[in-house]
Amino acid sequence: MPSLPASADAAAPSHEGRRVNLLGLDADGLARLCAQWGQKPFRARQLMRWLHQRGQADFDAMTDLAREFRELLRERAVVEAPAVISDHVSADGTRKWLLDVGGGNAVETVFIPETDRGTLCVSTQAGCAVNCMFCSTGKQGFSRNLDTHEIVAQLWHANRALGAYAREKGVAEDRVISNVVFMGMGEPLQNYAATLTALRIMLDDNAYGLSRRRVTVSTSGVVPMIDRLREDCPVALAVSLHAPNDALRDELVPLNRKYPLAELMAACSRYLESAPRDFITFEYVMLDGVNDSDRHAEELVELVRTVPCKFNLIPFNPFPGSGLRKSRPERIKAFAQRLVDAGIVTTVRRTRGDDIDAACGQLAGEVQDRTRLRERMGARGRRVIAVSEAR
Ligand code: SAH
Ligand code: SF4
């Protein structure tokens, strides 16, 4: 890991003062930077490959760049990721990093290995302003948007930590990130500009080359931004539904008061005109006695009648003080069956990384008390709390 401070902004290239963090620049941004510095356009592509395909942070190691260009880069640019506060590996192989984004804020990144893919779950904000009733991130309140470089750095760092840059040496399949989901802390569509640039970098063939189908943005339903994403960079879309009617959704997902279900469903239909997949994934957290009855399932079937979709039922992950309980397994099964009977493909999310609190809604449970976080990080603001290798 580079040891430079984590909180520098991915500022516009600056000639005086702050150096630009190259992890925050997409192909256009790097090309503009190269042009400003009197470099040929192909230098931008070379740079992008060094940064993202090889995970290189040391300009001197970028041997095919002219020496003068490397000197310019050393003077004016940095490649830096947030410092790692902790790194945990669960018994099931799920790995969770807690990253210091400065000012007493931390965000989490989770890697979930599966037999046919490796999924990285990234965060887009420190905290979240939507304040869903069942979400511990929401309960922390909103601190700030992450910059593009802080979003991309999660993928960059995870690839380095997983040894994926040694791919040519034959890295094990379960170490490779094939999918990225924006399902960590924060509402990606309330941090639209940074999320969009991060998506462009993730999809770029000179960077990570991920296909649109394998990158999923999850949203609580920011309708105008769903439309923007459809135009700017349609990737797979997951919508956090959680309720079949406005009265209940207003309570569970307060953003519903601004963008009610009818508008959300219409936005989903519009999105599908450009989406890389021909369905929307609806996420639905299963809350005992709140949204999990057969009646709710029937209402749900009616609600989504015109939207090609799949359902992902998420057993609620309790956290202290939530006042909510997860639905019983038999209830979840019966609920799922109602959807399946109506012809909707439905999965129940397996809880992964339970032993390291890596599951949805538990992210950064450790940092709910920011004072404690600061104490743990110490005066230097950087310290590894714990590294537990449970495998
Ligand atoms: N803000 C975005 C993405 C991050 S949340 C969104 O809401 O979609 C990712 C998923 O985790 C969402 O579907 C969210 O509803 C779910 N989630 C949040 N808290 C949870 C909890 N305590 N238990 C289970 N799922 C939760
Ligand atoms: Fe924010 Fe998503 Fe949590 Fe709601 S579920 S508070 S939108 S992170």
Side-chain angles (χ1 to χ4, degrees):
M1 286 291 301
S3 58
L4 288 156
S7 49
D9 291 338
S14 131
H15 296 286
E16 54 313 314
R18 221 159 37 181
R19 293 182 293 172
V20 56
N21 191 338
L22 298 183
L23 293 181
L25 298 183
D26 62 5
D28 287 350
L30 282 175
R32 268 197 304 275
L33 187 87
C34 286
Q36 273 173 24
W37 294 354
Q39 301 293 320
K40 299 245 164 59
F42 76 92
R43 295 288 178 211
R45 289 192 291 279
Q46 276 181 311
L47 203 45
M48 192 158 227
R49 288 197 285 263
W50 275 113
L51 297 170
H52 301 291
Q53 289 185 349
R54 303 205 199 177
Q56 187 54 261
D58 177 3
F59 297 127
D60 285 329
M62 302 181 183
T63 43
D64 57 359
L65 302 184
R67 187 131 54 90
E68 306 81 72
F69 184 35
R70 280 187 265 155
E71 266 159 33
L72 271 183
L73 287 166
R74 261 200 315 272
E75 269 170 36
R76 299 178 181 177
V78 290
V79 181
E80 62 185 36
V84 177
I85 299 167
S86 69
D87 178 349
H88 294 277
V89 182
S90 155
D92 67 13
T94 300
R95 185 160 173 185
K96 180 179 83 165
W97 296 275
L98 183 64
L99 304 174
D100 172 14
V101 292
N105 292 309
V107 296
E108 295 198 347
T109 305
V110 179
F111 175 68
I112 307 144
E114 287 172 275
T115 41
D116 56 343
R117 65 188 156 193
T119 303
L120 192 74
C121 177
V122 298
S123 296
T124 54
Q125 298 179 315
C128 181
V130 178
N131 195 16
C132 298
M133 192 190 264
F134 49 81
C135 174
S136 78
T137 303
K139 293 292 153 217
Q140 287 172 56
F142 175 68
S143 289
R144 72 167 175 87
N145 282 329
L146 298 190
D147 289 306
T148 300
H149 68 88
E150 292 168 316
I151 302 173
V152 172
Q154 296 172 56
L155 176 55
W156 184 83
H157 164 73
N159 264 326
R160 280 166 58 113
L162 294 168
Y165 289 123
R167 205 166 287 164
E168 57 268 35
K169 291 183 203 138
V171 68
E173 285 291 311
D174 65 352
R175 309 278 77 190
V176 175
I177 297 166
S178 59
N179 295 53
V180 174
V181 295
F182 285 65
M183 293 184 185
M185 297 170 71
E187 169 49 59
L189 298 188
Q190 286 190 341
N191 182 13
Y192 186 75
T195 295
L196 179 63
T197 310
L199 286 171
R200 289 194 167 131
I201 295 169
M202 291 174 182
L203 300 179
D204 196 305
D205 282 340
N206 289 311
Y208 301 94
L210 293 170
S211 87
R212 289 177 190 281
R213 302 161 55 84
R214 289 175 171 269
V215 177
T216 302
V217 166
S218 175
T219 180
S220 54
V222 191
V223 166
M225 293 302 153
I226 293 177
D227 286 325
R228 287 276 298 276
L229 188 67
R230 170 172 61 98
E231 278 164 26
D232 293 338
C233 190
V235 291
L237 187 69
V239 171
S240 295
L241 209 49
H242 310 314
N245 59 60
D246 283 321
L248 182 56
R249 197 164 190 270
D250 282 352
E251 296 304 312
L252 296 179
V253 184
L255 190 69
N256 195 68
R257 295 173 203 159
K258 197 161 179 193
Y259 306 115
L261 282 167
E263 286 182 32
L264 183 55
M265 291 302 120
C268 288
S269 296
R270 289 193 295 274
Y271 195 85
L272 284 173
E273 290 163 20
S274 318
R277 290 180 179 269
D278 53 8
F279 60 90
I280 301 285
T281 302
F282 287 125
E283 294 162 281
Y284 196 96
V285 62
M286 297 297 293
L287 299 162
D288 181 36
V290 175
N291 66 353
D292 65 349
S293 71
D294 285 345
R295 178 81 202 97
H296 290 123
E298 279 154 23
E299 229 182 318
L300 210 46
V301 169
E302 205 48 50
L303 176 73
V304 303
R305 187 169 293 286
T306 56
V307 183
C309 63
K310 290 186 181 174
F311 264 82
N312 192 210
L313 305 180
I314 316 172
F316 170 62
N317 284 304
F319 55 91
S322 73
L324 297 161
R325 288 183 313 268
K326 77 164 84 173
S327 306
R328 284 171 296 111
E330 317 84 75
R331 181 85 298 270
I332 298 178
K333 221 170 143 195
F335 193 94
Q337 194 58 49
R338 292 269 165 163
L339 301 183
V340 170
D341 289 347
I344 302 173
V345 174
T346 304
T347 50
V348 179
R349 187 172 297 171
R350 248 188 332 142
T351 312
R352 299 287 305 261
D354 240 359
D355 51 338
I356 57 167
D357 285 352
C360 286
Q362 303 215 321
L363 299 187
E366 279 183 275
V367 298
Q368 271 175 320
D369 180 343
R370 297 220 183 92
T371 327
R372 254 176 44 223
L373 175 72
R374 276 195 208 100
E375 276 164 19
R376 280 167 171 174
M377 292 195 310
R380 285 176 305 130
R382 180 171 187 219
R383 201 177 115 203
V384 173
I385 296 173
V387 178
S388 67
E389 299 280 338
R391 284 203 293 188

